[in-house]
Amino acid sequence: MVAELKHEISQNAYIKLVLHSLKHKTTAVNGVLLGRVNPQNESVVEIIDSVPLFHSNLALLPPLEIALIMIEEHYGSKGLGIVGYFHANERFDDAELGIVAKNIGDHICRYFPQAAVFLLDNKKLEALPKGKDQSPVMQLYIRDASKNWKLAGPDGGSRLVIKEPAANVVLSDYISSEKWQDVVDFDDHLDDIKMDWLNPELFK
């Protein structure tokens, strides 16, 4: 049952996507989630890494297709695949999952039916430095039986968890040190191929 699924995201995968959205605060940004179904528990999708995609022209198909091919080639050799999609809206007060996010989510679901879409929750992100909340600053969307994207209900918090409980503390530290400036996305890479979309130095 899809309803039983739980998505567990690693600290680095989580922080990388949030920092990407902070680097481009005035535009929509997106990214993909890499992982696999837990071999011991098929109801858990393990998200092990993430790749920041774009901060301009999110709906353009050719760059997206190039990015997905390169990502699948790189991570496929490690036994990982694209298991979900991340989106941050342009406007701070926009908490709706838009058509671009739904379409890309649908595309990923064709290859990985358990895929989820994470939408940045700006209000939670803004409250991060003030609170002790360990829950992700993201909303979890899953597809229902009629293939429509729905916000996970009241139990959504238990179905999207960060593997490391202190991730938000680390994220707060990175935000205060402006670590988001170091994030490279696919847009940056397409502008200058020397910029590495894998962000190997980000957490060094």
Short mmCIF file of all heavy atoms in Angstrom, two decimals, residues 4-15 33 38 41 43-48 116 118 124 133-140 152 155-168:
data_model
loop_
_atom_site.label_atom_id
_atom_site.label_comp_id
_atom_site.label_asym_id
_atom_site.label_seq_id
_atom_site.Cartn_x
_atom_site.Cartn_y
_atom_site.Cartn_z
N GLU A 4 1.22 3.42 3.20
CA GLU A 4 2.10 3.03 4.31
C GLU A 4 3.52 3.54 4.13
O GLU A 4 4.34 3.42 5.02
CB GLU A 4 2.15 1.49 4.40
CG GLU A 4 0.80 0.82 4.55
CD GLU A 4 0.12 1.21 5.85
OE1 GLU A 4 0.80 1.28 6.88
OE2 GLU A 4 -1.10 1.45 5.82
N LEU A 5 3.83 4.07 2.96
CA LEU A 5 5.21 4.45 2.66
C LEU A 5 5.76 5.51 3.60
O LEU A 5 5.07 6.45 3.98
CB LEU A 5 5.29 5.00 1.23
CG LEU A 5 5.67 4.05 0.11
CD1 LEU A 5 5.79 4.84 -1.18
CD2 LEU A 5 6.95 3.31 0.39
N LYS A 6 7.04 5.35 3.91
CA LYS A 6 7.74 6.34 4.71
C LYS A 6 8.99 6.77 3.93
O LYS A 6 9.65 5.92 3.33
CB LYS A 6 8.14 5.69 6.04
CG LYS A 6 8.87 6.59 7.01
CD LYS A 6 9.04 5.82 8.33
CE LYS A 6 9.94 6.55 9.30
NZ LYS A 6 10.12 5.79 10.54
N HIS A 7 9.27 8.06 3.92
CA HIS A 7 10.45 8.58 3.22
C HIS A 7 11.45 9.08 4.26
O HIS A 7 11.13 9.94 5.07
CB HIS A 7 10.06 9.70 2.25
CG HIS A 7 9.26 9.21 1.09
ND1 HIS A 7 7.91 8.96 1.19
CD2 HIS A 7 9.62 8.89 -0.17
CE1 HIS A 7 7.47 8.52 0.01
NE2 HIS A 7 8.49 8.47 -0.83
N GLU A 8 12.64 8.51 4.20
CA GLU A 8 13.70 8.86 5.16
C GLU A 8 14.84 9.53 4.39
O GLU A 8 15.46 8.91 3.53
CB GLU A 8 14.19 7.60 5.86
CG GLU A 8 15.26 7.85 6.90
CD GLU A 8 15.79 6.56 7.50
OE1 GLU A 8 16.64 5.90 6.85
OE2 GLU A 8 15.33 6.20 8.59
N ILE A 9 15.10 10.81 4.70
CA ILE A 9 16.09 11.58 3.95
C ILE A 9 17.35 11.78 4.79
O ILE A 9 17.27 12.03 6.00
CB ILE A 9 15.50 12.93 3.46
CG1 ILE A 9 16.48 13.68 2.53
CG2 ILE A 9 15.07 13.82 4.63
CD1 ILE A 9 15.86 14.84 1.78
N SER A 10 18.52 11.64 4.16
CA SER A 10 19.77 11.85 4.89
C SER A 10 19.98 13.35 5.12
O SER A 10 19.46 14.20 4.39
CB SER A 10 20.95 11.29 4.09
OG SER A 10 21.26 12.15 3.00
N GLN A 11 20.75 13.64 6.15
CA GLN A 11 21.00 15.04 6.52
C GLN A 11 21.59 15.84 5.36
O GLN A 11 21.13 16.94 5.06
CB GLN A 11 21.96 15.06 7.72
CG GLN A 11 22.36 16.46 8.17
CD GLN A 11 23.17 16.40 9.47
OE1 GLN A 11 22.64 16.03 10.51
NE2 GLN A 11 24.43 16.74 9.41
N ASN A 12 22.60 15.28 4.68
CA ASN A 12 23.25 16.04 3.61
C ASN A 12 22.32 16.28 2.42
O ASN A 12 22.32 17.37 1.84
CB ASN A 12 24.52 15.31 3.14
CG ASN A 12 25.67 15.45 4.13
OD1 ASN A 12 25.52 16.08 5.19
ND2 ASN A 12 26.81 14.87 3.80
N ALA A 13 21.53 15.27 2.07
CA ALA A 13 20.58 15.43 0.96
C ALA A 13 19.58 16.53 1.28
O ALA A 13 19.23 17.36 0.43
CB ALA A 13 19.86 14.11 0.70
N TYR A 14 19.11 16.54 2.51
CA TYR A 14 18.12 17.52 2.99
C TYR A 14 18.71 18.93 2.99
O TYR A 14 18.14 19.87 2.42
CB TYR A 14 17.70 17.08 4.39
CG TYR A 14 16.93 18.07 5.21
CD1 TYR A 14 15.62 18.42 4.89
CD2 TYR A 14 17.50 18.65 6.36
CE1 TYR A 14 14.89 19.31 5.69
CE2 TYR A 14 16.78 19.53 7.15
CZ TYR A 14 15.48 19.86 6.81
OH TYR A 14 14.77 20.73 7.60
N ILE A 15 19.88 19.08 3.63
CA ILE A 15 20.48 20.41 3.77
C ILE A 15 20.85 21.00 2.42
O ILE A 15 20.66 22.20 2.18
CB ILE A 15 21.71 20.33 4.71
CG1 ILE A 15 21.23 20.09 6.15
CG2 ILE A 15 22.56 21.59 4.63
CD1 ILE A 15 22.34 19.89 7.17
N LEU A 33 15.77 13.81 -5.85
CA LEU A 33 16.17 13.00 -4.70
C LEU A 33 16.66 11.65 -5.20
O LEU A 33 16.02 11.02 -6.05
CB LEU A 33 14.96 12.80 -3.77
CG LEU A 33 14.18 14.08 -3.43
CD1 LEU A 33 12.82 13.73 -2.83
CD2 LEU A 33 14.98 14.95 -2.47
N ASN A 38 14.42 0.58 0.84
CA ASN A 38 15.21 -0.11 1.86
C ASN A 38 15.12 -1.63 1.63
O ASN A 38 14.02 -2.18 1.59
CB ASN A 38 14.66 0.25 3.24
CG ASN A 38 15.43 -0.39 4.38
OD1 ASN A 38 15.75 -1.56 4.36
ND2 ASN A 38 15.74 0.41 5.38
N ASN A 41 13.16 -3.31 4.39
CA ASN A 41 11.80 -2.84 4.65
C ASN A 41 11.27 -2.09 3.43
O ASN A 41 11.62 -0.94 3.20
CB ASN A 41 11.79 -1.94 5.89
CG ASN A 41 10.39 -1.50 6.26
OD1 ASN A 41 9.42 -1.73 5.53
ND2 ASN A 41 10.27 -0.85 7.41
N SER A 43 8.62 -0.73 2.78
CA SER A 43 7.75 0.43 2.98
C SER A 43 8.54 1.70 3.29
O SER A 43 7.98 2.75 3.54
CB SER A 43 6.73 0.17 4.09
OG SER A 43 7.39 0.04 5.32
N VAL A 44 9.89 1.60 3.27
CA VAL A 44 10.74 2.77 3.51
C VAL A 44 11.54 3.10 2.26
O VAL A 44 12.26 2.25 1.72
CB VAL A 44 11.71 2.53 4.70
CG1 VAL A 44 12.65 3.71 4.88
CG2 VAL A 44 10.92 2.28 5.99
N VAL A 45 11.41 4.34 1.79
CA VAL A 45 12.25 4.84 0.70
C VAL A 45 13.39 5.63 1.34
O VAL A 45 13.17 6.60 2.06
CB VAL A 45 11.45 5.75 -0.26
CG1 VAL A 45 12.37 6.31 -1.35
CG2 VAL A 45 10.31 4.97 -0.90
N GLU A 46 14.62 5.16 1.12
CA GLU A 46 15.79 5.84 1.67
C GLU A 46 16.30 6.86 0.67
O GLU A 46 16.65 6.51 -0.46
CB GLU A 46 16.92 4.82 1.93
CG GLU A 46 16.59 3.75 2.94
CD GLU A 46 17.74 2.76 3.08
OE1 GLU A 46 18.27 2.30 2.04
OE2 GLU A 46 18.10 2.44 4.22
N ILE A 47 16.34 8.13 1.07
CA ILE A 47 16.87 9.20 0.21
C ILE A 47 18.29 9.49 0.70
O ILE A 47 18.49 9.99 1.80
CB ILE A 47 15.98 10.45 0.27
CG1 ILE A 47 14.58 10.10 -0.25
CG2 ILE A 47 16.59 11.58 -0.56
CD1 ILE A 47 13.50 11.03 0.24
N ILE A 48 19.25 9.14 -0.13
CA ILE A 48 20.65 9.15 0.29
C ILE A 48 21.37 10.41 -0.18
O ILE A 48 22.28 10.90 0.48
CB ILE A 48 21.33 7.86 -0.21
CG1 ILE A 48 20.74 6.67 0.58
CG2 ILE A 48 22.84 7.90 -0.04
CD1 ILE A 48 20.83 5.35 -0.09
N ALA A 116 7.99 10.62 -4.25
CA ALA A 116 7.30 11.69 -3.51
C ALA A 116 7.78 13.03 -4.05
O ALA A 116 8.83 13.12 -4.70
CB ALA A 116 7.61 11.58 -2.03
N PHE A 118 8.64 16.84 -2.51
CA PHE A 118 8.81 17.67 -1.31
C PHE A 118 8.70 19.13 -1.72
O PHE A 118 9.35 19.57 -2.67
CB PHE A 118 10.20 17.47 -0.70
CG PHE A 118 10.48 16.07 -0.20
CD1 PHE A 118 11.75 15.71 0.20
CD2 PHE A 118 9.48 15.12 -0.13
CE1 PHE A 118 12.03 14.44 0.66
CE2 PHE A 118 9.73 13.84 0.33
CZ PHE A 118 11.02 13.50 0.72
N LYS A 124 8.08 27.31 8.03
CA LYS A 124 8.90 26.46 8.91
C LYS A 124 10.37 26.86 8.82
O LYS A 124 11.09 26.86 9.82
CB LYS A 124 8.75 24.99 8.51
CG LYS A 124 7.63 24.26 9.22
CD LYS A 124 7.80 22.77 8.99
CE LYS A 124 6.91 21.97 9.93
NZ LYS A 124 7.16 20.54 9.81
N ASP A 133 12.32 22.60 16.63
CA ASP A 133 11.61 21.61 15.82
C ASP A 133 12.61 20.75 15.04
O ASP A 133 13.47 21.27 14.34
CB ASP A 133 10.67 22.35 14.85
CG ASP A 133 9.66 21.42 14.20
OD1 ASP A 133 9.80 20.19 14.35
OD2 ASP A 133 8.75 21.92 13.52
N GLN A 134 12.46 19.44 15.17
CA GLN A 134 13.36 18.53 14.44
C GLN A 134 12.76 18.07 13.12
O GLN A 134 13.41 17.36 12.36
CB GLN A 134 13.67 17.30 15.31
CG GLN A 134 14.51 17.61 16.53
CD GLN A 134 14.87 16.34 17.30
OE1 GLN A 134 14.37 15.26 17.03
NE2 GLN A 134 15.75 16.49 18.27
N SER A 135 11.52 18.46 12.84
CA SER A 135 10.87 17.97 11.62
C SER A 135 11.37 18.75 10.40
O SER A 135 11.81 19.90 10.51
CB SER A 135 9.35 18.08 11.75
OG SER A 135 8.97 19.43 11.83
N PRO A 136 11.33 18.13 9.22
CA PRO A 136 11.84 18.78 8.01
C PRO A 136 11.06 20.05 7.67
O PRO A 136 9.86 20.14 7.93
CB PRO A 136 11.62 17.72 6.93
CG PRO A 136 11.40 16.44 7.64
CD PRO A 136 10.82 16.78 8.96
N VAL A 137 11.77 21.03 7.07
CA VAL A 137 11.11 22.27 6.64
C VAL A 137 10.51 22.07 5.24
O VAL A 137 10.64 22.91 4.36
CB VAL A 137 12.08 23.48 6.68
CG1 VAL A 137 12.48 23.79 8.11
CG2 VAL A 137 13.32 23.24 5.82
N MET A 138 9.89 20.92 5.06
CA MET A 138 9.31 20.55 3.77
C MET A 138 7.96 19.89 3.98
O MET A 138 7.74 19.24 5.01
CB MET A 138 10.22 19.54 3.04
CG MET A 138 11.60 20.05 2.73
SD MET A 138 12.62 18.70 2.10
CE MET A 138 14.18 19.52 1.87
N GLN A 139 7.09 20.06 3.00
CA GLN A 139 5.81 19.35 2.98
C GLN A 139 5.95 18.12 2.09
O GLN A 139 6.60 18.19 1.05
CB GLN A 139 4.71 20.25 2.41
CG GLN A 139 4.55 21.58 3.11
CD GLN A 139 3.77 21.47 4.40
OE1 GLN A 139 3.42 20.38 4.83
NE2 GLN A 139 3.49 22.60 5.01
N LEU A 140 5.33 17.04 2.49
CA LEU A 140 5.38 15.80 1.71
C LEU A 140 4.11 15.65 0.87
O LEU A 140 3.01 15.70 1.40
CB LEU A 140 5.52 14.61 2.67
CG LEU A 140 5.33 13.20 2.07
CD1 LEU A 140 6.42 12.87 1.07
CD2 LEU A 140 5.29 12.15 3.18
N ALA A 152 0.39 14.98 2.23
CA ALA A 152 0.21 13.91 3.23
C ALA A 152 -0.50 14.50 4.44
O ALA A 152 -0.21 15.60 4.88
CB ALA A 152 1.57 13.35 3.63
N ASP A 155 -0.61 12.74 9.55
CA ASP A 155 0.52 11.85 9.86
C ASP A 155 1.70 12.09 8.94
O ASP A 155 2.68 11.36 8.96
CB ASP A 155 0.07 10.39 9.78
CG ASP A 155 -0.33 10.00 8.36
OD1 ASP A 155 -0.73 10.90 7.60
OD2 ASP A 155 -0.24 8.82 8.01
N GLY A 156 1.61 13.12 8.10
CA GLY A 156 2.68 13.40 7.14
C GLY A 156 4.04 13.56 7.79
O GLY A 156 5.06 13.17 7.24
N GLY A 157 4.02 14.11 9.01
CA GLY A 157 5.28 14.31 9.72
C GLY A 157 5.99 13.02 10.05
O GLY A 157 7.21 12.96 10.08
N SER A 158 5.22 11.96 10.27
CA SER A 158 5.84 10.68 10.59
C SER A 158 6.23 9.93 9.32
O SER A 158 6.95 8.95 9.38
CB SER A 158 4.89 9.82 11.43
OG SER A 158 3.73 9.53 10.68
N ARG A 159 5.75 10.40 8.19
CA ARG A 159 6.06 9.71 6.93
C ARG A 159 7.20 10.35 6.15
O ARG A 159 7.66 9.82 5.16
CB ARG A 159 4.80 9.63 6.08
CG ARG A 159 3.87 8.54 6.64
CD ARG A 159 2.46 8.70 6.21
NE ARG A 159 2.30 8.64 4.79
CZ ARG A 159 1.14 8.86 4.17
NH1 ARG A 159 0.07 9.14 4.89
NH2 ARG A 159 1.04 8.79 2.88
N LEU A 160 7.64 11.53 6.62
CA LEU A 160 8.85 12.15 6.07
C LEU A 160 9.74 12.46 7.26
O LEU A 160 9.42 13.31 8.08
CB LEU A 160 8.50 13.43 5.30
CG LEU A 160 9.67 14.34 4.92
CD1 LEU A 160 10.71 13.57 4.11
CD2 LEU A 160 9.19 15.55 4.14
N VAL A 161 10.85 11.73 7.36
CA VAL A 161 11.75 11.93 8.50
C VAL A 161 13.17 12.15 8.00
O VAL A 161 13.56 11.67 6.94
CB VAL A 161 11.73 10.72 9.48
CG1 VAL A 161 10.38 10.59 10.14
CG2 VAL A 161 12.10 9.43 8.76
N ILE A 162 13.93 12.91 8.81
CA ILE A 162 15.35 13.09 8.52
C ILE A 162 16.09 12.02 9.32
O ILE A 162 15.82 11.80 10.50
CB ILE A 162 15.84 14.49 8.93
CG1 ILE A 162 14.94 15.57 8.36
CG2 ILE A 162 17.28 14.70 8.44
CD1 ILE A 162 15.21 16.97 8.88
N LYS A 163 17.03 11.37 8.66
CA LYS A 163 17.73 10.24 9.30
C LYS A 163 18.48 10.70 10.56
O LYS A 163 18.50 10.01 11.56
CB LYS A 163 18.70 9.61 8.30
CG LYS A 163 19.21 8.27 8.74
CD LYS A 163 19.93 7.55 7.63
CE LYS A 163 20.31 6.14 8.07
NZ LYS A 163 21.06 5.43 7.05
N GLU A 164 19.11 11.87 10.49
CA GLU A 164 19.86 12.39 11.64
C GLU A 164 19.02 13.43 12.37
O GLU A 164 18.68 14.47 11.79
CB GLU A 164 21.19 13.02 11.18
CG GLU A 164 22.16 12.04 10.53
CD GLU A 164 21.93 11.79 9.04
OE1 GLU A 164 20.92 12.26 8.50
OE2 GLU A 164 22.75 11.11 8.44
N PRO A 165 18.70 13.20 13.64
CA PRO A 165 17.77 14.09 14.36
C PRO A 165 18.26 15.53 14.50
O PRO A 165 17.45 16.44 14.67
CB PRO A 165 17.64 13.43 15.74
CG PRO A 165 18.19 12.06 15.61
CD PRO A 165 19.10 12.04 14.44
N ALA A 166 19.58 15.75 14.46
CA ALA A 166 20.10 17.11 14.67
C ALA A 166 20.26 17.90 13.37
O ALA A 166 20.89 18.95 13.35
CB ALA A 166 21.44 17.05 15.40
N ALA A 167 19.66 17.41 12.29
CA ALA A 167 19.86 18.04 10.98
C ALA A 167 19.49 19.52 10.96
O ALA A 167 20.18 20.35 10.34
CB ALA A 167 19.06 17.30 9.91
N ASN A 168 18.41 19.90 11.64
CA ASN A 168 18.00 21.30 11.62
C ASN A 168 18.96 22.20 12.39
O ASN A 168 19.10 23.38 12.07
CB ASN A 168 16.57 21.45 12.18
CG ASN A 168 15.52 21.13 11.13
OD1 ASN A 168 15.80 21.06 9.94
ND2 ASN A 168 14.30 20.90 11.57
#
